Amino acid sequence: MSEPSAQVVSKAIGLGKHVNGPAGGLTILAQLDLEIHAGEAVAILGASGSGKSTLLGLLAGLDDPSSGEVWLCGQRVNDLDEDGRAELRSGRVGFVFQNFQLLPTLTARENILLPLELTSTPDAARRADEALDRVGLTARAKHYPKQLSGGEQQRIAIARAYAPQPAVLFADEPTGNLDQATGEHIIELLLALRQDAGAALVLVTHDPRLAERCDRRLHMDEGHLETRA
């Protein structure tokens, strides 16, 4: 099979995920096909337990499919071992989670700086400072996560994800733990930084305000994806 176009940053072909449980086998994803193009924002919606987060993890190469292929940034993920997948994601893929996942022993600035230093990014310190400024938290640079509000922690997480200038950002319920006003601010920030970086944004959300701002809305239902207006 030929490699997908360079404009496709993430692709699933016949993707399936099956697990065994107490009641027997369970199909989470069934022969799913999906393409994510450079620069677009795609929302994945659906009921709890419908497989949205599973799909996100597979597209990002964090989990193994039971069947089918996953392509990420021009490479077939199925062909890579865990170290190869980590190397592929490094600097190319960003993540934002509902529970922020900041390292508690690092300051806000150090949390942003860490992935840049791990990839030996030139001018890492400058880029971390620019990311802090972009999310409006320069004054919180030396604060630890426990000293920040939930909204501030998520803004730091977004800055950390975007600082390496990834090709694609995966976000799992990024406004799920935030009040409405703070969630609105996070939505604006996510979409503005996505526009700045030219990165694709793939997000799982229950937030209709966030989904409506995306280029495409896909609904997960019984292991399949349906396009919704």
Side-chain angles (χ1 to χ4, degrees):
M1 182 174 293
S2 61
E3 182 176 328
S5 163
Q7 293 301 309
V8 177
V9 294
S10 181
K11 181 169 184 172
I13 305 170
L15 191 62
K17 184 66 176 180
H18 314 282
V19 297
N20 294 317
L26 175 66
T27 296
I28 301 175
L29 303 177
Q31 297 296 308
L32 185 150
D33 295 319
L34 175 64
E35 285 189 357
I36 306 296
H37 295 266
E40 74 170 334
V42 179
I44 300 173
L45 303 103
S48 295
S50 63
K52 304 184 301 297
S53 293
T54 298
L55 173 59
L56 211 66
L58 290 169
L59 292 176
L62 297 174
D63 192 11
D64 293 316
S66 302
S67 59
E69 300 179 40
V70 174
W71 291 77
L72 181 62
C73 298
Q75 294 193 44
R76 188 175 183 269
V77 175
N78 307 59
D79 297 330
L80 303 174
D81 60 16
E82 191 58 43
D83 288 342
R85 295 181 189 190
E87 184 177 351
L88 173 60
R89 288 190 296 266
S90 180
R92 299 182 183 93
V93 178
F95 296 96
V96 176
F97 300 98
Q98 180 175 350
N99 58 356
F100 320 132
Q101 298 211 0
L102 299 177
L103 295 177
T105 58
L106 299 183
T107 65
R109 184 178 184 272
E110 289 168 344
N111 265 282
I112 298 170
L113 191 58
L114 181 62
L116 298 170
E117 291 182 330
L118 289 175
T119 55
S120 300
T121 301
D123 298 326
R126 176 185 58 79
R127 288 172 65 168
D129 290 337
E130 288 177 351
L132 262 174
D133 181 65
R134 186 65 180 83
V135 299
L137 288 176
T138 298
R140 298 286 193 270
K142 296 182 179 180
H143 287 64
Y144 291 91
K146 67 180 181 181
Q147 298 171 316
L148 303 172
S149 69
E152 288 171 335
Q153 289 185 62
Q154 192 62 298
R155 285 154 66 187
I156 294 298
I158 291 170
R160 178 183 61 186
Y162 273 114
Q165 299 178 349
V168 56
L169 175 71
F170 295 100
D172 195 351
E173 295 287 2
T175 61
N177 280 339
L178 305 174
D179 60 63
Q180 182 170 341
T182 305
E184 291 278 6
H185 185 72
I186 293 301
I187 291 169
E188 294 295 335
L189 189 58
L190 267 175
L191 295 174
L193 287 176
R194 163 246 176 177
Q195 189 73 25
D196 290 350
L201 173 62
V202 186
L203 59 92
V204 163
T205 183
H206 284 98
D207 190 337
R209 301 164 302 164
L210 181 48
E212 288 168 5
R213 300 286 300 278
C214 293
D215 302 312
R216 281 196 287 157
R217 286 158 294 282
L218 304 175
H219 193 274
M220 180 74 75
D221 185 25
E222 297 185 355
H224 299 276
L225 282 176
E226 303 173 354
T227 301
R228 295 288 176 90

